[in-house]
Amino acid sequence: MVDRVPRGPEVPRVPQQRQPAPSAGPEAVRFAVLGPVRARRGEEQLSTGSPQQRALLAALLLREGRTATAAELIDALWGEEPPSQALAAVRTYASRLRKVLDPGVLVSESGGYAVRGLAEGAFDLAVAQDLAAEAEKARGAGDLCHAREVLDRALHLWDGETLAGVPGPYAEAQRVRLEEWRLQLLESRLDMDLEQGCHAEAVAELTALTAAHPLRERLRELLMLALYRSGRQAEALAVYADTRRLLADELGVDPRPGLRELQQRILQADPGLAEPSAPQAAPAPAPVRPAQLPATVPDFTGRAAFVKELGEVLATAEGRVMAVSAVAGIGGVGKTTLAVHVAHQARTAFPDGQLYVDLQGAGARSAEPETVLGSFLRALGTADSAIPDSLEERAALYRSVLDGRRVLVLLDNARDAAQVRPLLPGTEGCAALVTSRVRMVDLAGAHLVDLDVMSPDEALSLFTKIVGEERVAAERKAALDVVAACGFLPLAIRIAASRLAARRTWTVSVLAAKLADERRRLDELQAGDLAVKATFELGYGALEPAQARAFRLLGLADGPDISLAAAAAVLDLPVEETEDLLEALVDTSLLESAAPGRYRYHDLVRLYARACAERDEWPPSERDAAMSRLLDFYLATAAGVYLIERPGDRLVDHLAAPEHPGLVFADRHQAQDWLYSEAVCLLACVRQSAGSGSLRRAVDLLWAAVDLAESGTNSKAYEGVASALREAAREVGDTRAEARALITLGYAHSVTGRFDLADEEAALAHELIGAAPDPLAGCWASNILGVIALYQSRHEDGETHINRAIEGFRACDDRAGEAAVLCNLSRIHLATGRTDSAVSLARQGMEMYDAMGHALKGANGRYALGLALTEHGELPEAADRLQEALTVFRDSRQRLWEGMSLFRLAEVDLAAGRPAQAAANAESALTVLRGIGGDWRRAGVLVTLGHGLSGIGQPGRAQVCWREALELFESLDAPEAETVRPLLTPLTLA
């Protein structure tokens, strides 16, 4: 870590008389100097008069209550050459201001004037000073998140140039002083950005700032550090070379020691600089404090020694490197119950939140660490667009987000240490509590706890708490027989006791007799997982028929959990009735309530539920029917989401018609929330359906959920499921399903920039559709082939494919599809020099979308039009259309097109002679496109970034960008390499 930014210059503090003043009400006059000098009462802008009159007001405000003599004010306004009537002018200005302002604000005193009695929050500079002081205090206390948020609020008080348009030597001096202070506050905030892992975001802002303040070495130092931590070492060194060259040319000096030292540390790959390089979204206005712990059981019993031991270990997280406690034991021994209870007791030691996940380690498909990290990052306030794609980047970002916080992470039901390691916080003040059926001796630094079954006394105490003191006391021996038959296993005891508690006519002896059955003998119950199975049978056997059916059928669905609405579809019951059944299963401990409206099985219970379904569900076809209803529910809902985003699109008319209805949403944001929150379960359902008779509907569901391919977060999973569907269709010889699966896979490949694969998949799909006609699918295949040909500079082929797609969409009466390919045809016309027709085609496509109320695809039309207008030289309109597209893409969580819109805005900036803004937008594009879009798109952005950097006097860094772009283009055998190669010169970084 480089040295922190020193405190800014001493700005006069607000005098003590301001402190007891009341807060500024809606009718109090508010003053601003951090921008144009203004006075406002409520929403009314007050007249502050001529520039000299505003200069007088500013001079009085900046003295913060101290009296300014007439001579001082004359000097402030005119300096050494005041006009002959200066004194009269000052008096006139003061008189006019007094009429506008609140009574008693502008006072005459000792031949001078003063502004007094301002309410709290009425003066923007005073507010900024208070916020800066609060930020410094929070940073000193280690609360970087709060410090950064407060400092950002202070910086947002500036509205352009300080004292803009105010004349006079005093205003000029204060303008310089306050601008210097603002820059130092900004440097401090950026320094905290780097400490919190916001490296990529900081690069974009620092690039623009170094262009605006080229001789400010501290900004260069921060830029070098941000680039280095983002994995861009060559660019970081190029910044130093550019800075050294600039300082020598402009000032005849060498860089200051701090900058030289940082350069050497980068050259030596100093481990002290190697902070996590993954970016983080700017912290939310208020710190996000997750509280994900499941509810602790009210009748928690025993385990006192373990509770004490684990509590003491967790307490060591305060001020130390994290404490890791790994609790191991057989299924049903109470690991989760103990861990949740201990975690709740330790909550006060972790005020920044608690994270929880069931890693499903004993199941066939345990949770992937990268998926869990994505969920954790979202819970900690990180935007989807800022979550990287790879496991390593997500883990690095996760540790960065947790830096400076005290968070407890409960990793339940872990498979092994390898699954756990990426999920460990790794920072001071945080702790992880892990449960697993295996003893994690290979988890470095872990405090291991082996949990056995309960002691007889503990077991009897738990049984008594559930059943009731009176019933147990009357039959103590029978109760001891019951807990012994349960093998003293907490889960077995809890289920057996719940069964008895629900039946007031039974005695304890009746239950003991049932457990004495030879099928549930003690030696069998003590045999590890067999004890659990026998106990599950006890609970299952006590269920009412409807409850038992729900238990069996819901266990069939893959996915980490299931929503109430989806469960209702599986059971083919109303939501209210379904909820009653599921809550009854929760009461018997056979199901868990993961969150309001969501339910999940313990992994062993799920396996048992499926075994029951195989054994007891009659007729067997009901199992398939239940999963078919779930697939229908997802298909109907996803189709509705697709249509609400794309009104008028005909795709939904060509999908398989679901027999079970889905959800209906009031607006597109609710629809988006559902799609992204259900993504894991939806994709699990698609994959699960691939091997069944529901293959065609599974393919259509994936097609309807195409937005997941562009989200970045779900792109990899989407592609994997598409590949599985393609193979399943080939195995059963379903040509139609295979063609549609190939379309989804080809599209997924195009999103990730693997154009050769995308072209192969789309070409094969087109061939299959020729053998088994599927008109709309054929249009999509032709469109993908045309777009890929455009990307690969095969423009004649591309135009052929696109024209075929236009004919097909028109034949299908799909105006939305027609609009899409018109925009793509515009791109091809643009690439072949037909600029006028490119503008016309893109505008036609956009207007068609607008007529249908098609906001999302209308953004694609605006994107295409923005490109054409840029090439046509109509830069203001191009920027407007691209900015409109960017807003929609960002709002719709379309990371790919959000990043590409930023890239195209950078191209507009270059054409308009705004290299600093071009570089900033290109940097932002690189950040958004991280993990999505592929190398070809990244290379294009790097070329534009290089031009922007070259234009702001950073030629060394520009060369590094162009070299990387050339390497990427050459690796793809892309013709763009020939346009980059002439830009390169021999590169010297130091």
Side-chain angles (χ1 to χ4, degrees):
M1 175 64 68
V2 296
D3 294 338
R4 289 180 173 174
V5 177
R7 286 190 62 181
E10 286 298 324
V11 177
R13 296 299 306 153
V14 178
Q16 291 298 315
Q17 67 185 49
R18 187 180 67 86
Q19 300 305 322
S23 297
E27 298 305 316
V29 177
R30 298 172 182 268
F31 298 93
V33 296
L34 302 178
V37 175
R38 288 167 296 181
R40 183 186 299 273
R41 180 181 289 109
E43 295 301 316
E44 179 189 2
Q45 184 79 38
L46 302 180
S47 174
T48 52
S50 66
Q52 285 79 12
Q53 188 169 305
R54 292 197 301 274
L56 176 70
L57 176 60
L60 293 174
L61 287 168
L62 289 169
R63 293 181 72 87
E64 295 180 326
R66 299 190 308 277
T67 300
T69 66
E72 288 173 331
L73 290 173
I74 291 171
D75 185 61
L77 270 62
W78 292 287
E80 296 180 356
E81 297 181 0
S84 59
Q85 299 300 315
L87 180 58
V90 166
R91 290 171 177 168
T92 300
Y93 299 153
S95 176
R96 290 173 180 171
L97 287 171
R98 190 178 287 113
K99 293 176 182 177
V100 174
L101 306 180
D102 291 339
V105 170
L106 180 56
V107 299
S108 301
E109 184 177 83
S110 304
Y113 301 93
V115 170
R116 299 272 173 78
L118 296 186
E120 287 289 333
F123 183 30
D124 62 351
L125 176 57
V127 174
Q129 290 167 333
D130 289 343
L131 289 172
E134 182 182 348
E136 188 172 350
K137 182 179 179 181
R139 185 172 186 174
D143 191 349
L144 289 180
C145 187
H146 181 63
R148 187 210 178 277
E149 182 266 326
V150 171
L151 202 53
D152 208 42
R153 281 164 50 198
L155 288 164
H156 274 90
L157 291 172
W158 266 268
D159 183 19
E161 183 186 38
T162 304
L163 301 171
V166 176
Y170 179 79
E172 180 58 31
Q174 291 299 312
R175 187 179 296 115
V176 171
R177 186 184 190 190
L178 290 173
E179 176 62 14
E180 173 64 22
W181 185 54
R182 185 188 72 84
L183 284 172
Q184 292 201 20
L185 293 180
L186 188 55
E187 288 170 346
S188 184
R189 198 263 291 157
L190 286 162
D191 192 45
M192 285 187 280
D193 285 351
L194 300 192
E195 290 187 59
Q196 294 181 86
C198 304
H199 310 132
E201 289 81 359
V203 169
E205 188 172 1
L206 284 163
T207 296
L209 286 169
T210 52
H213 307 279
L215 298 177
R216 198 171 183 90
E217 292 184 63
R218 177 56 177 158
L219 290 174
R220 300 276 182 145
E221 187 177 349
L222 290 168
L223 177 57
M224 288 174 65
L225 187 60
L227 286 165
Y228 180 74
R229 289 183 179 171
S230 298
R232 299 159 70 176
Q233 178 181 357
E235 278 188 74
L237 293 171
V239 170
Y240 178 81
D242 289 337
T243 305
R244 185 181 63 179
R245 188 180 306 110
L246 178 67
L247 291 173
D249 292 345
E250 296 290 330
L251 304 177
V253 299
D254 290 328
R256 64 184 181 85
L259 205 61
R260 294 199 302 270
E261 178 188 351
L262 179 58
Q263 182 229 16
Q264 290 301 311
R265 294 175 69 186
I266 291 174
L267 286 169
Q268 297 163 9
D270 185 344
L273 295 178
E275 296 291 329
S277 61
Q280 170 193 346
V288 177
R289 294 182 173 86
Q292 297 185 339
L293 294 178
T296 186
V297 293
D299 49 20
F300 182 84
T301 303
R303 311 296 199 185
F306 290 115
V307 171
K308 182 175 183 293
E309 178 183 354
L310 289 169
E312 290 175 349
V313 173
L314 290 181
T316 64
E318 180 72 29
R320 293 180 50 186
V321 175
M322 68 169 184
V324 179
S325 300
V327 182
I330 64 171
V333 79
K335 301 181 298 294
T336 297
T337 302
L338 173 64
V340 169
H341 182 76
V342 170
H344 274 284
Q345 287 197 332
R347 285 183 65 176
T348 56
F350 301 96
D352 295 318
Q354 305 85 40
L355 296 168
Y356 171 84
V357 65
D358 179 0
L359 294 174
Q360 307 172 63
R365 287 185 181 172
S366 56
E368 294 295 334
E370 59 209 79
T371 302
V372 175
L373 286 169
S375 175
F376 278 179
L377 286 166
R378 281 188 287 273
L380 290 164
T382 306
D384 284 347
S385 62
I387 297 176
D389 190 54
S390 71
L391 171 63
E392 293 76 14
E393 285 186 307
R394 288 188 179 189
L397 173 55
Y398 170 64
R399 293 190 296 271
S400 298
V401 171
L402 290 179
D403 185 38
R405 301 190 191 184
R406 296 203 299 278
V407 173
L408 175 62
V409 184
L410 176 48
L411 305 172
D412 193 18
N413 197 15
R415 180 188 64 231
D416 51 30
Q419 185 189 27
V420 165
R421 287 191 190 99
L423 308 178
L424 299 178
T427 57
E428 290 187 357
C430 291
L433 187 58
V434 185
T435 73
S436 176
R437 299 170 79 191
V438 300
R439 198 167 192 270
M440 295 191 179
V441 294
D442 53 342
L443 190 60
H447 178 88
L448 301 177
V449 175
D450 294 317
L451 196 62
D452 203 348
V453 296
M454 285 181 148
S455 69
D457 287 343
E458 289 178 331
L460 185 60
S461 179
L462 173 60
F463 184 78
T464 302
K465 283 186 176 181
I466 299 172
V467 173
E469 182 73 36
E470 183 178 346
R471 296 175 76 183
V472 174
E475 299 181 273
R476 181 176 175 81
K477 183 179 184 304
L480 286 170
D481 289 342
V482 169
V483 297
C486 289
F488 305 110
L489 199 65
L491 184 58
I493 296 167
R494 184 174 297 282
I495 294 177
S498 297
R499 183 186 184 198
L500 181 60
R503 286 159 174 77
R504 304 303 300 177
T505 60
W506 283 16
T507 64
V508 181
S509 297
V510 170
L511 178 61
K514 290 181 176 293
L515 288 176
D517 186 283
E518 63 182 13
R519 293 174 300 167
R520 302 180 178 89
R521 286 178 180 170
L522 182 60
D523 56 351
E524 186 177 77
L525 287 170
Q526 288 179 322
D529 289 342
L530 290 179
V532 179
K533 180 179 179 181
T535 304
F536 292 161
E537 288 189 10
L538 285 175
Y540 175 63
L543 296 177
E544 299 292 335
Q547 296 170 349
R549 174 179 178 269
F551 174 74
R552 294 190 300 267
L553 294 182
L554 292 179
L556 296 173
D558 283 346
D561 60 8
I562 191 167
S563 69
L564 178 59
V570 171
L571 302 179
D572 197 19
L573 293 172
V575 170
E576 295 79 6
E577 188 176 342
T578 301
E579 185 173 23
D580 290 341
L581 290 173
L582 299 191
E583 289 299 327
L585 292 175
V586 171
D587 291 340
T588 62
S589 300
L590 289 174
L591 193 65
E592 300 175 13
S593 179
R598 300 201 74 87
Y599 299 87
R600 65 177 171 225
Y601 285 93
H602 183 283
D603 54 351
L604 295 177
V605 179
R606 183 195 295 275
L607 294 176
Y608 177 72
R610 290 183 173 181
C612 289
E614 291 287 336
R615 182 188 69 194
D616 301 337
E617 196 60 44
W618 193 262
S621 59
E622 177 57 17
R623 298 194 298 269
D624 294 335
M627 294 309 298
S628 178
R629 288 192 295 271
L630 179 63
L631 180 61
D632 271 353
F633 166 77
Y634 280 129
L635 176 56
T637 308
V641 173
Y642 184 94
L643 195 56
I644 201 172
E645 287 272 30
R646 303 168 175 83
D649 198 303
R650 294 293 306 279
L651 172 64
V652 294
D653 299 331
H654 292 259
L655 300 177
E659 296 181 4
H660 194 283
L663 298 175
V664 178
F665 302 103
D667 58 56
R668 57 192 294 265
H669 292 101
Q670 287 184 3
Q672 289 170 6
D673 289 342
W674 179 87
L675 180 64
Y676 290 106
S677 64
E678 286 288 336
V680 175
C681 294
L682 184 152
L683 292 175
C685 180
V686 173
R687 185 184 286 274
Q688 190 175 9
S689 303
S692 69
S694 304
L695 175 61
R696 288 195 174 189
R697 280 181 294 149
V699 173
D700 285 356
L701 170 55
L702 192 66
W703 198 356
V706 68
D707 284 348
L708 297 179
E710 296 183 356
S711 69
T713 304
N714 307 106
S715 301
K716 183 178 179 181
Y718 185 96
E719 187 176 314
V721 172
S723 180
L725 289 178
R726 177 196 59 188
E727 295 306 315
R730 284 178 179 172
E731 286 182 11
V732 299
D734 190 331
T735 302
R736 178 182 180 277
E738 182 182 355
R740 291 192 169 200
L742 284 165
I743 288 171
T744 63
L745 186 57
Y747 186 76
H749 286 325
S750 73
V751 167
T752 56
R754 286 178 282 185
F755 300 135
D756 288 341
L757 288 175
D759 191 59
E760 290 176 13
E761 308 289 12
L764 182 54
H766 195 272
E767 181 181 333
L768 292 174
I769 291 167
D774 186 355
L776 190 65
C779 298
W780 275 66
S782 295
N783 185 44
I784 294 173
L785 286 168
V787 171
I788 298 304
L790 166 68
Y791 291 158
Q792 296 179 332
S793 299
R794 295 184 288 107
H795 300 131
E796 186 175 345
D797 289 345
E799 190 158 358
T800 299
H801 292 306
I802 292 297
N803 282 324
R804 185 190 304 125
I806 291 175
E807 293 173 5
F809 279 121
R810 286 173 176 166
C812 292
D813 192 26
D814 189 334
R815 288 182 59 76
E818 181 185 349
V821 290
L822 285 173
C823 293
N824 291 333
L825 183 60
S826 165
R827 300 278 303 277
I828 291 177
H829 279 222
L830 193 63
T832 52
R834 291 170 283 176
T835 310
D836 289 342
S837 59
V839 171
S840 177
L841 286 166
R843 199 180 297 279
Q844 183 182 351
M846 182 189 74
E847 290 172 352
M848 290 173 67
Y849 280 135
D850 289 349
M852 290 182 281
H854 209 319
L856 177 58
K857 297 304 289 183
N860 287 112
R862 282 162 171 74
Y863 177 87
L865 181 57
L867 266 62
L869 290 169
T870 302
E871 192 68 23
H872 204 254
E874 300 177 54
L875 301 182
E877 186 184 356
D880 288 344
R881 298 293 83 78
L882 288 168
Q883 188 61 54
E884 291 167 358
L886 173 63
T887 300
V888 174
F889 289 138
R890 186 173 284 156
D891 185 56
S892 301
R893 311 181 199 182
Q894 297 289 305
R895 269 184 58 197
L896 173 64
W897 296 109
E898 177 188 349
M900 292 303 292
S901 296
L902 287 165
F903 165 43
R904 300 305 185 182
L905 280 168
E907 292 185 326
V908 174
D909 291 326
L910 274 183
R914 299 188 295 266
Q917 187 59 44
N921 275 328
E923 278 290 354
S924 296
L926 288 178
T927 300
V928 174
L929 291 173
R930 187 183 58 256
I932 191 171
D935 289 343
W936 181 78
R937 292 184 176 96
R938 177 177 174 82
V941 178
L942 285 168
V943 172
T944 297
L945 174 58
H947 285 299
L949 294 171
S950 179
I952 62 174
Q954 298 185 25
R957 190 175 157 207
Q959 288 287 311
V960 172
C961 292
W962 288 332
R963 286 183 186 280
E964 182 183 350
L966 179 62
E967 292 172 2
L968 292 173
F969 281 140
E970 287 180 338
S971 70
L972 298 169
D973 197 24
E976 289 87 350
E978 296 307 315
T979 64
V980 179
R981 196 170 285 111
L983 300 172
L984 298 176
T985 59
L987 182 61
T988 302
L989 296 181

